[in-house]
Amino acid sequence: MLEDNILTAHGWVRGYLRHENGKVVGIEGSPCNPADNDLPYLLPGFIDLHVHGGGGKDIMQGAQAFDTITRTHLRFGTTALLATTMTAPNHDISRVLGALGDFCQTRPSGCARVLGVHLEGPFINPGKLGAQPNFAHTALMAEVEDYLNLAPIKVITIAPEIAGHIELIGTLSARGIRMQLGHTLGSYEEGVAALDAGASSFTHLYNAMSPLHHREPGILGAALAHARFAELIPDLLHVHPGAIRAALRAIPCLYCVTDSTAATGMPDGEYQLGSHTVTKCLGGVRLADGTLAGSTLTMDQALRNLVKIGLPLAEASQRLSQFPADYLGLEDRGRLQPGSWADCVRLDRSLNITAVMVEGEALDFQNA
Ligand SMILES: [Zn+2]
């Protein structure tokens, strides 16, 4: 058994984590300051609520892609994730949701847990597609009900300025679905109205939303002024570090996502993102016109990026694990304490992953 600096729900402990049947049963040791030793770090596994793909595969490719994607992300420390669909024709979305509904019941060995689905579109503003294909349309309850019957949808990204969407945000958030504002040209007032109706987060804060002008604060202004939770992509390409710091001061439970595409964990080249072909080069993924099209970010790199811009390791971890779990209302993930799932990552002192554990299943990369 290895001795670690374990980040527990009550701070750093130098000692040992014990687990049984996939759950943490004990953390033995004493409080410590990791600066006083050279032991590895043991952090809660990362929880990524915005994953389109990885390892060359895209969620929209359906069942044959899920194993590869969840296996790829686990290697980078993501122990649980939301499979994220793209804006597409209804029948394509339904086909993928049907397959995801089945996949969510299982967790193949060596794969991250799929907690459910993040539906990113089609209920977004056609004028703010970002890299989403142009199949955006107004949400109708009947269509949403069809989707909800196919898979455990936990998060829906929606543009609040489309007629009828504020009412839908109210109805669906009352049923426990996290309604997120994104791919939107809405005003500040529409953002505030959506929050009042029950919207609870913002999709990739800053990207694909009306910006903040001091006389027209936009959706971004609504987020910075009122939000408790918001997603952010910390690849340092999508958002400038200064803007990340501003958001950290404004939004208490800002959490990180990758918005990762098929190109994640793969060499430079061409990949599919929904129905788009995208190119990976220079650390980014872009459409032919240069628009950023998701990322190749992994959660371990997100951790290193947050530390690089000045966050303490414990806080960086919180924004990659505990806050996303809190957002979904999961008390047994995103933190290391007795009763939690034994989901954890071990990192060396340069913050490179050497081992991952998901629900008690250990993967060791030390000699990989
Ligand atoms: Zn996305």
Side-chain angles (χ1 to χ4, degrees):
M1 221 172 166
L2 277 173
E3 191 178 21
D4 291 297
N5 292 297
I6 305 170
L7 184 57
T8 74
H10 308 288
W12 292 104
V13 168
R14 177 178 175 158
Y16 305 90
L17 180 138
R18 286 193 301 111
H19 62 95
E20 258 173 46
N21 302 322
K23 298 285 185 89
V24 176
V25 292
I27 294 168
E28 289 157 8
S30 45
C32 74
N33 179 351
D36 297 338
N37 64 56
D38 57 3
L39 295 172
Y41 300 107
L42 194 71
L43 306 183
F46 307 131
I47 301 178
D48 187 350
L49 304 187
H50 196 145
V51 174
H52 292 289
K57 303 278 190 188
D58 185 296
I59 289 291
M60 296 307 286
Q61 290 171 329
Q64 50 105 354
F66 304 155
D67 195 284
T68 303
I69 294 167
T70 52
R71 200 171 290 277
T72 300
H73 282 280
L74 184 61
R75 277 178 40 222
F76 298 107
T78 297
T79 49
L81 58 84
L82 288 183
T84 305
T85 57
M86 292 285 285
T87 298
N90 297 20
H91 56 89
D92 284 352
I93 294 176
S94 295
R95 175 182 50 79
V96 174
L97 290 178
L100 281 169
D102 294 337
F103 193 81
C104 289
Q105 312 281 330
T106 64
R107 187 188 64 77
S109 171
C111 293
R113 168 68 64 180
V114 178
L115 298 168
V117 176
H118 175 168
L119 201 66
E120 190 180 20
F123 314 130
I124 59 176
N125 192 319
K128 204 64 183 170
L129 291 169
Q132 296 281 334
N134 191 8
F135 297 101
H137 59 264
T138 302
L140 293 174
M141 201 57 205
E143 181 189 354
V144 179
E145 293 287 3
D146 285 346
Y147 294 157
L148 291 173
N149 286 331
L150 290 167
I153 294 172
K154 306 288 185 193
V155 168
I156 298 179
T157 290
I158 191 163
E161 67 276 21
I162 310 284
H165 280 190
I166 297 270
E167 292 72 20
L168 207 88
I169 286 169
T171 306
L172 291 169
S173 60
R175 286 167 60 173
I177 297 160
R178 272 56 174 174
M179 301 301 288
Q180 288 185 193
L181 308 185
H183 290 276
T184 166
L185 290 167
S187 65
Y188 169 83
E189 288 75 13
E190 285 160 336
V192 171
L195 289 170
D196 288 344
S200 44
S201 181
F202 292 78
T203 299
H204 39 54
L205 189 76
Y206 292 105
N207 300 114
M209 65 179 59
S210 37
L212 184 152
H213 182 281
H214 54 289
R215 281 186 289 272
E216 199 178 335
I219 291 291
L220 179 59
L224 295 176
H226 303 286
R228 179 150 173 260
F229 289 100
E231 297 184 348
L232 185 116
I233 308 171
D235 62 352
L236 309 185
L237 284 176
H238 277 77
V239 185
H240 188 283
I244 297 178
R245 291 192 189 96
L248 286 167
R249 292 185 73 157
I251 302 178
C253 299
L254 189 80
Y255 58 95
C256 295
V257 297
T258 61
D259 199 7
S260 51
T261 61
T264 302
M266 299 293 284
D268 285 359
E270 292 199 335
Y271 297 92
Q272 284 304 118
L273 177 63
S275 58
H276 281 313
T277 300
V278 297
T279 304
K280 174 179 180 180
C281 66
L282 303 171
V285 196
R286 290 182 163 83
L287 300 181
D289 69 1
T291 303
L292 279 172
S295 84
T296 59
L297 183 63
T298 54
M299 289 294 258
D300 63 327
Q301 187 61 47
L303 181 84
R304 290 188 290 272
N305 287 352
L306 291 183
V307 169
K308 183 171 142 191
I309 68 166
L311 273 71
L313 180 57
E315 182 188 340
S317 163
Q318 213 173 24
R319 297 185 185 281
L320 293 164
S321 301
Q322 189 199 318
F323 291 162
D326 288 347
Y327 177 55
L328 293 188
L330 303 173
E331 290 172 8
D332 57 358
R333 293 192 193 266
R335 66 209 84 209
L336 295 176
Q337 61 188 18
S340 290
W341 286 100
D343 289 348
C344 43
V345 289
R346 177 175 290 122
L347 302 123
D348 65 21
R349 299 298 291 220
S350 307
L351 301 182
N352 294 305
I353 291 187
T354 59
V356 178
M357 179 175 288
V358 52
E359 298 179 356
E361 182 192 358
L363 292 100
D364 196 333
F365 304 129
Q366 195 94 64
N367 306 307

